[in-house]
Structure formats: structure tokens, C-alpha cells
Amino acid sequence: MRAAVYEGEGRLVVRDVPDPVPAADEVLIEVEACGVCGSDVQIINIPAGHPSTPPVIIGHEFVGWIRAVGSAVRDLAVGSRVVCDPDPKCGACDSCRAGRPANCTNIVALGVYRDGALAQYVTAPANSVYPISEDVPAELAALVEPLACVVNGTNRAGLRPGESVVVFGAGAIGCLFTAVLHAAGAARIIVVEPSAARAPVARALGAADVLSPDDWAARRAELMPAGADVVVDAVGSVLPQAIEAAGMGARVIVFGMNQNAHPAVHQVEIVEKGLSILGSYISNFTFPAAIRLVESGQLNLAPMITATIPLDDTVAGIARIRSGEAVKIVIKP
Ligand SMILES: [Zn+2]
Ligand SMILES: [Zn+2]
């Protein structure tokens, strides 16, 4: 089969590889669509901004069709359409047994530490896949994984109707936060994003204003004098700006990931404002909710899909995400 293989130090190559074979407790999935994630870009950056173990097939935001099941698999049938939690939980470590699956110490993530879905086929543990309606367009079904992570973050934020929000970043994650917080009753959402190309997408998903970082700095006191009730860092390096944007008693969701970021934080502001700084990592029993949100059509997510491209164009697609021109690139192998 064809696959996009990360071979180390910034090298991503689309080439032929052997077809995968499912283990007894796994399923074989024919990939219908797989989104390119910001963490894929980070893996390929030099230096890498996200760990991984090359050589590995990247890609973890996918929908596909079960084509074979291992001998120990129950409850899943060949021919089912499924999405996948690419961070399989062990169910046995202290974190799993304490109800914190995102902190599972035995996760072997698809597309990072084991082969992922920027390929024609992928294997996954049976207990990590979820059926999804055949009526959902493939591009939107491929958004379920990042949406499940974002729903975890919005659950952490505990937004109450009528509250104000600032989201840093209008990539896919920032746009999904905007959509979910808008649906949850946020009164006003301001998105801070340097790429002008992403602004119309953030507006379509519920942002009242989309400002460049410079414009936000200049107009913050005018637009949101009391600061925001909920602030989201969907970039991974803007915690200082997020703290500055926060109002009294605000919740700050720290979501984006960049291993190379070490920003200096004005700690006393956290104390004086009584802020809650909440790290939010991957999903947390939130796949079913994300699937229902996509199946119901409650969120207007279609504007996020910048382009759908073939697997052989993966390298160019990743460049479009890195440049800030695209929001979500979906690959159909
Ligand atoms: Zn992702
Ligand atoms: Zn575990």
C-alpha cells in the first residue's frame, strides 16, 4: 500500500510499504479520509516540536471502513464505518483506573509511536474504534478526533451561557473551540490569529471578531475591558498573552503543544485574578459526544475544510498547514 512515512529529521516520504495485518485484538481499517494535524507539522519540523519514533506512518484523525477483524474481536463487524481514538488507553494503569484516561502511562499513539492513517490501510485496537453514521461526509467525520479533544477542553472550561471568550489561534483546534463554545452559549468570542486567510473561517464558526495579535494588543482594553471569562491557548506558546487576556476568576485552557516553547509567565497575575490554568490533553471519554455533535450537524464545521487532496500530495498539504494559509487539509488515500 501507499503511506506517508516520517523517516526522521524533517523527512516525510510517500512510498510503498507492506500492508498491515491486524493482531488478535485489532481491526484492519481501509482509510477513507485522514486530516493533517498541527502535531503532524510539529513532528516534521526541525527541530521536531512533537516526539515520535521514526520510521512511522503519520496521521491520526481518520474515518474508514473495517475490512478485517482479529480473532479476539467481538462487537465489531467487517464493513462498519468507524472513527478511531488514536491514543489507545490500557485500562490497567493507575491513571486509567483513577478515571483519567488521558494520563494513561501506556498509550502507544497511532501516527506517532505506531503506524497511523496517512495510508491506504491502518490497524487499530478494537477497543479504540467507534461506529459513525454513513451519512456524515468523510471530511467532517475525520474531524471527530480533534473535536473529541476540544470537547474535553471545553468541558474543563465549564463555560456558562453569556460568558465571554478569547481564543488564541484559528487553526483547526482554535476553530473547533470557537464552534463548541459558541454552541455552548458564549456571548462573545474574539479570536486572535495572524493569518488573514483563516479569519473568515473563524467567523463562520462563531467568532464575533478575528484580530491579528497586534490589533488585539492595541484594542484589548476597548473590546473586552474586563477581560474574558474563558481563554483558550490553541497555539501552544501564548500562555503569557492568555493570562493577560483573562478577566477576574477566568479559566485558561492550555491546549496547544510545542515542546520548544518556554514562555516567561507573569505569575502574579494568576494570583491576583484568581485564574484557573487548566491543561487539556487529548480526549477524556469525549468521543461519543464528538460523534453525536458531528452526526447531528449541530456545528457548522464544513468551512474548516480548506482542501481535500490525494495521499501523494501529503508533503504539499502539510506545507499549506505550516504556512498558516490552510485550516484543515484532509487526505483521501
Ligand atoms: Zn490531531
Ligand atoms: Zn492506562
Side-chain angles (χ1 to χ4, degrees):
M1 67 169 185
R2 300 288 285 170
V5 183
Y6 173 60
E7 298 189 330
E9 274 287 286
R11 291 192 309 282
L12 185 75
V13 181
V14 180
R15 60 176 168 83
D16 291 332
V17 301
D19 286 1
V21 177
D25 60 349
E26 293 181 342
V27 295
L28 176 72
I29 300 168
E30 182 179 1
V31 180
E32 185 182 1
C34 181
V36 175
C37 177
S39 65
D40 299 323
V41 179
Q42 292 283 2
I43 286 170
I44 290 150
N45 279 348
I46 304 175
H50 193 289
S52 69
T53 48
V56 68
I57 299 169
I58 63 167
H60 59 270
E61 304 180 354
F62 65 100
V63 59
W65 302 86
I66 296 182
R67 295 303 183 212
V69 299
S71 58
V73 174
R74 317 262 177 265
D75 307 322
L76 289 168
V78 170
S80 298
R81 193 188 200 207
V82 292
V83 293
C84 179
D85 178 353
D87 300 299
K89 317 304 188 294
C90 78
C93 71
D94 288 348
S95 294
C96 281
R97 296 214 262 182
R100 289 181 280 100
N103 299 130
C104 174
T105 48
N106 297 315
I107 292 174
V108 182
L110 275 74
V112 180
Y113 301 114
R114 61 176 276 177
D115 285 338
L118 280 173
Q120 290 173 288
Y121 293 92
V122 61
T123 56
N127 64 2
S128 296
V129 306
Y130 297 79
I132 187 167
S133 165
E134 298 183 12
D135 297 335
V136 178
E139 290 83 353
L140 303 187
L143 289 174
V144 164
E145 191 275 334
L147 181 60
C149 300
V150 163
V151 170
N152 180 21
T154 58
N155 287 349
R156 300 269 282 150
L159 179 104
R160 294 179 286 263
E163 289 192 316
S164 58
V165 174
V166 172
V167 177
F168 286 91
I173 294 298
C175 285
L176 288 171
F177 266 105
T178 299
V180 176
L181 291 168
H182 182 67
R188 184 167 196 199
I189 303 176
I190 293 177
V191 174
V192 183
E193 164 62 48
S195 166
R198 288 173 167 175
V201 181
R203 278 199 198 88
L205 271 68
D209 296 292
V210 184
L211 304 174
S212 71
D214 285 348
D215 285 348
W216 167 245
R219 298 183 59 199
R220 186 162 53 87
E222 163 211 342
L223 292 172
M224 217 175 256
D229 298 305
V230 172
V231 184
V232 179
D233 173 0
V235 178
S237 57
V238 296
L239 181 58
Q241 294 92 320
I243 290 169
E244 201 171 34
M248 300 295 181
R251 288 84 73 204
V252 178
I253 304 301
V254 187
F255 187 102
M257 292 179 75
N258 180 348
Q259 287 208 120
N260 303 317
H262 300 92
V265 168
H266 194 212
Q267 187 168 326
V268 70
E269 264 189 273
I270 301 173
V271 178
E272 288 176 345
K273 293 180 180 175
L275 302 182
S276 299
I277 310 291
L278 304 166
S280 178
Y281 180 56
I282 62 177
S283 61
N284 183 31
F285 303 117
T286 45
F287 262 78
I291 290 167
R292 287 194 295 271
L293 281 168
V294 169
E295 286 180 340
S296 69
Q298 190 172 349
L299 306 177
N300 173 33
L301 301 178
M304 287 180 57
I305 310 298
T306 308
T308 302
I309 62 173
L311 185 64
D312 281 343
D313 294 349
T314 297
V315 173
I318 286 177
R320 291 181 69 181
I321 297 282
R322 183 186 281 119
S323 73
E325 167 238 334
V327 174
K328 182 59 77 182
I329 300 284
V330 176
I331 288 163
K332 286 193 168 173

